[in-house]
Amino acid sequence: MFQISYDQAKNRITVKVQSITMEEVETYIQEFNKVLTQVKPGFTGLTDLSEGKLFTQEVAVALGPLGELSVQKGLSKWAYFTGSAVSKMQMKRMFGDIVLSFEKLEDAEAYLN
């Protein structure tokens, strides 16, 4: 399961991921695109993977293009936090230098603010 929200005051997308299956990918992409219609250029993003499971390769490939789409919509910074070294590597492979990894929520928010 996942949750995607937009904080207009901070101009920030927040994503909390416990898991995303191939059956959920299309719903995730639709919800993410819907939120992207609300952002203003220079927006930031925060993903909470602290309770998340690794994505399957299939899911990772399906979600990868969302990083570039976010950049096209005006993304300035995106951070995620997780305690998993493997999850950090997966996010790096999926999104490259678009995202930075943090072990604590406070550190990720400090980077974005």
Side-chain angles (χ1 to χ4, degrees):
M1 286 310 308
F2 62 87
Q3 295 174 315
I4 303 172
S5 59
Y6 176 64
D7 181 333
Q8 187 173 6
K10 291 183 178 180
N11 194 26
R12 179 172 301 155
I13 295 173
T14 302
V15 180
K16 183 169 178 73
V17 176
Q18 291 175 322
S19 67
I20 300 177
T21 64
M22 273 312 289
E23 291 76 26
E24 296 169 312
V25 163
E26 189 57 39
T27 301
Y28 182 92
I29 291 171
Q30 288 174 1
E31 288 187 29
F32 192 84
N33 279 314
K34 183 178 171 186
V35 168
L36 279 181
T37 66
Q38 301 173 52
V39 301
K40 297 183 248 356
F43 76 94
T44 59
L46 176 67
T47 302
D48 175 353
L49 295 168
S50 62
E51 299 173 20
K53 299 176 184 169
L54 289 177
F55 299 140
T56 65
Q57 182 63 27
E58 207 175 24
V59 169
V61 168
L63 298 181
L66 295 178
E68 183 56 37
L69 182 60
S70 297
V71 170
Q72 291 172 10
K73 289 288 190 172
L75 174 67
S76 65
K77 297 180 186 177
W78 197 291
Y80 65 93
F81 67 101
T82 176
S84 165
V86 176
S87 180
K88 287 179 191 178
M89 287 189 312
Q90 185 177 55
M91 291 297 108
K92 184 77 168 168
R93 273 195 312 261
M94 286 173 67
F95 302 112
D97 294 329
I98 295 172
V99 299
L100 284 182
S101 166
F102 297 88
E103 291 187 16
K104 296 179 183 174
L105 171 62
E106 297 81 15
D107 295 340
E109 287 179 329
Y111 165 73
L112 295 173
N113 290 334

